[in-house]
Amino acid sequence: MTSAFKLSRRALLQGTAGLGAAALTAGLPFGQAQAKDVAIGFIYVGPRDDFGYNQAHAQGAAALKKLGGFKVLEEENVPETVAVEKTMESMINLDGAALVFPTSFGYYNPHMIKLAKKYDKVRFLHCGGLWSDKDPANAGSYFGYIDEAQYLNGIVAGYTSKTGKLGFIAAKPIPQVLRNINAFTLGARLANPNVTTQVIFTGDWSMPVKEAEATNGLINQGVDVVTCHVDSPKVIAETAEKRGIMVCGYHVDQSKLAPKGYLTGAEWNWEALYPKLAKSMQGGEKIPNLVRGGLKEGVVKTSAYGPLVEEKARKHADDIKTKLTAGSYVIFKGPIKDNKGATVIGAGTERGQTDIELEKMNYLVEGVLGAIA
Amino acid sequence: MTGDLLGWWGVPLAVLAGAIRVSTPFLFVSLGECITEKSGRINLGLEGTLVMGAMSGYAISYLTGSPWLGVLAAGCAGAVFGILHAAICSLPRVNDIAVGIALMLFGIGLAFFLGKPFIQPQAPNLPSIPFGNWSDNAQVRDSLRINALFLIGVVLAPLLLWAFRNTRWGLIVRTVGDSADAALALGYAINRVRMFSTAAGGFLAGIGGSFLSLSYPGSWSEGLSSGQGITAVALVIFARWNPMLCFWASLLFGGAAALGPALQSVGITSGYYLFNAAPYALTLLIMILTCSRDRTLAGAPGELGVTR
């Protein structure tokens, strides 16, 4: 990293020369060849190297860049306010973006919907939103069934935990988060039916001090494996490692942050999805308004197992993973009770991944300690 | 299995431990702002100074391998921001509150820009002193690992109080802050005193920031501060410009911030939004309870923008 700050005279001269050359070619007609590159914009809510949500998207954007033929625009730290509308407008008007990926949950409604109505030639694809018929046709949403990977996290955590107490640090009680908490717990109870998951809601996507406090609080209550659904698991992984407990990752691989206690992790695989979406748009194919996928479609993946994961846990998790990848396994299969004792999925009912009911989840399953409000 | 656990006792312990862990940035920023405001100037830019301190402390710790050098660098970065504030404010017809807000935005922006390469790498952290080794309970031991910066803050608060009352420079700062006319009559260089006070305030705020990145939570990221600097500035008014009260108020805010996660960890989960808002609700409550026409601004420096 230090080298980034040292600028030798030679590098400076080369850079200046390069700039001059670029300025020259820009004025010449054959510079036009590049104008065919389709401009694609990515908007992140936080820094793109956060060991978390934004980094996962940035890795996807980087894969697209490597592909060539696309002009990739990126802007980070854009708040979920009218600021994102301004960012999208400038990407469309100034850079000619034909496809925009606003990647954060709060960008969808009303901001992205508003702009999709205004710019009907531009394609908008939002991560996490739930597109409905009432929304504009040039808008759409994509997401991954990362709960499949959280389910595998749970299986590994259930086998590895010695206290039988797991911790889950979550930002907000929205359906996607609840689905992860529930899948994690269901997976853990597959390994050990007595396991409980204590959930803590911090209230926002990025609250480093509160996340550290939550991790410490859980550890003090005897929790020995934590996982999370916040934008950057960095603080949680580091705190867990410092205090000698285990951690399951989320968003991207965090094994570097917790070399001793990292078990496995639920990761996004946007490197696979973004190039696919961009290419199909370039080829004139119609991108569906609702894109979803899990392990089978390669939208999510798992981290390599850490040193503490025993053979028994690996085998069970790998077995389920094979079935999930084949599409022959259902996680939310009745009977499932919520943690207040009411039946939420009746016996005999199978809610497969594509079931839209799961995207409206508003309960915590049996075994989760905590409440939504 | 549960012999080692504290159960319900975990809540007061977590609040106490949380108060110690979370309060340090509040403490340093508020002590710094106390010095600045006592000289008759208000520096709202300390949020930016805090973030800048967090970034530069982490960067220097990473580049040199010494966290204490990081703390020093954070202090120096803060002092530079303080001097900048003081220099701009010493020009005629400049509003210190507006300058403060501008410097806050500038500090945050600059820290994000310069801090880009340091989000990923891991820098050496400040050591903590284990005060809990007498206990055989792991939770108690972990809760009582106290960072040296907190202890410095504990010493600094009464020292500052004493200095304001008993030392020559303390009295000069207060004179300048209370009445510029009186200070002029006594022959003090008002701008120089304020320059020094704002620089000292910035120095302490920068150190407060380095605590965030080098001790707790212990790494640099762009969401690190979440408004702690600006909260600490407000805390000075709450503490009536008294360094010892700043100390207690910082502990209160730290403890209140730990309350939400602590309660949720033992299973009290309903109404967590309310618990998370506890620090602010508590402040409001105390403000209302202690507010009266005579006492509201007791202790406020006479030259301070907010009281004129």
Side-chain angles (χ1 to χ4, degrees):
Chain A
M1 281 298 163
T2 47
S3 60
F5 295 105
K6 284 183 200 146
L7 203 60
S8 70
R9 195 173 56 160
R10 177 183 296 182
L12 194 68
L13 287 172
Q14 277 171 346
T16 329
L19 270 177
L24 270 176
T25 46
L28 296 171
F30 51 79
Q32 294 287 317
Q34 286 185 329
K36 268 190 203 149
D37 286 2
V38 180
I40 297 179
F42 288 88
I43 304 163
Y44 315 120
V45 74
R48 61 186 162 192
D49 35 15
D50 60 355
F51 270 106
Y53 187 80
N54 299 295
Q55 182 172 329
H57 287 292
Q59 285 172 357
L64 195 57
K65 226 181 285 178
K66 220 185 279 167
L67 206 63
F70 297 101
K71 188 173 144 204
V72 176
L73 317 160
E74 291 174 281
E75 188 167 335
E76 41 187 351
N77 289 319
V78 180
E80 295 174 331
T81 60
V82 281
V84 71
E85 295 180 26
K86 286 181 194 153
T87 298
M88 284 189 272
E89 291 218 82
S90 77
M91 281 178 170
I92 294 164
N93 292 332
L94 300 180
D95 302 295
L99 172 63
V100 187
F101 289 99
T103 61
S104 188
F105 186 77
Y107 293 158
Y108 189 65
N109 202 355
H111 309 296
M112 193 192 96
I113 299 290
K114 211 162 107 188
L115 285 204
K117 283 178 186 151
K118 191 169 167 189
Y119 297 95
D120 52 1
K121 298 272 186 309
V122 179
R123 190 70 218 233
F124 293 82
L125 286 176
H126 178 265
C127 181
L130 188 54
W131 186 85
S132 76
D133 308 336
K134 280 172 250 143
D135 295 335
N138 60 329
S141 65
Y142 61 95
F143 203 59
Y145 301 125
I146 200 161
D147 55 320
E148 292 177 351
Q150 277 287 18
Y151 191 69
L152 300 173
N153 266 354
I155 294 173
V156 172
Y159 275 109
T160 321
S161 171
K162 291 193 176 61
T163 61
K165 291 181 172 187
L166 314 178
F168 200 113
I169 297 158
K172 298 178 187 201
I174 59 168
Q176 288 151 8
V177 178
L178 300 178
R179 190 166 166 178
N180 276 334
I181 300 170
N182 290 340
F184 178 73
T185 310
L186 290 173
R189 284 162 84 89
L190 221 54
N192 171 5
N194 298 320
V195 159
T196 56
T197 305
Q198 176 70 55
V199 58
I200 292 186
F201 291 104
T202 59
D204 219 333
W205 298 109
S206 183
M207 307 277 279
V209 174
K210 202 155 265 173
E211 286 154 16
E213 269 307 299
T215 316
N216 277 312
L218 288 170
I219 298 169
N220 288 347
Q221 290 306 316
V223 162
D224 66 349
V225 184
V226 285
T227 188
C228 64
H229 188 157
V230 296
D231 271 359
S232 171
K234 189 181 182 192
V235 162
I236 293 166
E238 284 177 342
T239 309
E241 180 81 353
K242 253 186 245 170
R243 289 198 55 183
I245 69 155
M246 296 166 281
V247 58
C248 290
Y250 190 59
H251 294 311
V252 295
D253 188 359
Q254 281 105 29
S255 55
K256 256 202 321 198
L257 299 174
K260 285 202 286 278
Y262 196 76
L263 297 181
T264 180
E267 296 181 30
W268 298 104
N269 195 14
W270 301 131
E271 292 108 308
L273 186 69
Y274 286 162
K276 210 165 87 183
L277 288 175
K279 269 192 278 187
S280 64
M281 196 199 68
Q282 200 180 28
E285 279 172 61
K286 180 156 171 38
I287 303 172
N289 291 101
L290 212 53
V291 177
R292 294 290 190 264
L295 287 165
K296 188 179 160 194
E297 293 81 6
V299 180
V300 302
K301 57 184 178 181
T302 56
S303 315
Y305 295 119
L308 292 175
V309 185
E310 291 166 16
E311 196 48 43
K312 197 169 53 172
R314 287 174 194 230
K315 216 168 150 257
H316 195 164
D318 283 341
D319 180 42
I320 302 279
K321 190 178 169 183
T322 313
K323 285 182 187 160
L324 282 169
T325 310
S328 64
Y329 190 90
V330 178
I331 294 174
F332 291 95
K333 186 166 51 186
I336 292 179
K337 280 186 184 165
D338 71 9
N339 64 357
K340 292 183 196 109
T343 304
V344 282
I345 299 178
T349 310
E350 287 195 352
R351 295 225 180 273
Q353 287 299 51
T354 50
D355 194 331
I356 227 75
E357 275 302 307
L358 291 180
E359 301 203 15
K360 298 171 187 163
M361 193 173 276
N362 61 353
Y363 52 84
L364 292 164
V365 298
E366 192 178 10
V368 182
L369 308 176
I372 292 168
Chain B
M1 183 182 93
T2 50
D4 202 31
L5 298 178
L6 293 166
W8 283 92
W9 282 103
V11 176
L13 181 72
V15 172
L16 177 77
I20 294 170
R21 281 192 296 247
V22 183
S23 65
T24 309
F26 290 130
L27 181 58
F28 273 88
V29 178
S30 63
L31 288 180
E33 182 69 2
C34 213
I35 303 176
T36 308
E37 291 191 17
K38 280 275 188 194
S39 78
R41 213 169 249 160
I42 189 160
N43 183 0
L44 288 186
L46 292 189
E47 172 78 20
T49 311
L50 178 92
V51 176
M52 197 59 205
M55 190 283 297
S56 46
Y58 197 74
I60 296 300
S61 170
Y62 173 69
L63 294 175
T64 65
S66 160
W68 287 108
L69 269 181
V71 173
L72 187 69
C76 292
V80 169
F81 266 75
I83 290 169
L84 198 60
H85 184 274
I88 299 172
C89 287
S90 65
L91 302 171
R93 285 189 297 280
V94 170
N95 181 304
D96 48 357
I97 291 177
V99 174
I101 292 172
L103 281 182
M104 172 169 85
L105 297 173
F106 175 60
I108 294 173
L110 189 68
F112 283 9
F113 175 70
L114 295 175
K116 269 284 153 230
F118 300 103
I119 296 180
Q120 291 267 346
Q122 283 173 290
N125 274 10
L126 287 170
S128 295
I129 304 163
F131 280 100
N133 281 350
W134 48 270
S135 168
D136 51 7
N137 184 305
Q139 276 81 42
V140 173
R141 279 205 304 276
D142 274 314
S143 298
L144 290 179
R145 294 181 69 85
I146 294 174
N147 190 278
L149 276 182
F150 176 77
L151 299 177
I152 294 173
V154 170
V155 177
L156 204 59
L159 195 71
L160 267 181
L161 184 67
W162 174 82
F164 276 133
R165 288 184 181 160
N166 299 300
T167 64
R168 186 177 154 77
W169 72 260
L171 293 174
I172 294 174
V173 169
R174 281 172 57 200
T175 310
V176 169
D178 269 332
S179 165
D181 292 341
L184 267 181
L186 289 167
Y188 296 129
I190 294 178
N191 275 335
R192 207 181 307 155
V193 172
R194 287 183 178 163
M195 172 82 77
F196 168 78
S197 305
T198 319
F203 186 82
L204 289 182
I207 289 180
S210 73
F211 175 85
L212 282 177
S213 60
L214 291 175
S215 177
Y216 192 75
S219 60
W220 161 246
S221 67
E222 291 175 6
L224 190 61
S225 150
S226 53
Q228 290 181 71
I230 203 77
T231 311
V233 172
L235 194 143
V236 178
I237 300 169
F238 174 55
R240 309 239 190 283
W241 297 270
N242 177 331
M244 258 338 264
L245 288 182
C246 283
F247 171 69
W248 295 117
S250 301
L251 274 186
L252 185 76
F253 272 63
L259 185 66
L263 282 176
Q264 285 194 62
S265 72
V266 296
I268 304 178
T269 45
S270 44
Y272 58 86
Y273 276 114
L274 191 65
F275 295 131
N276 285 343
Y280 316 106
L282 202 66
T283 311
L284 200 63
L285 189 73
I286 294 176
M287 285 286 209
I288 292 167
L289 288 180
T290 59
C291 202
S292 77
R293 202 173 274 268
D294 314 321
R295 290 191 48 208
T296 304
L297 289 171
E303 289 285 318
L304 205 59
V306 288
T307 59
R308 263 182 291 177

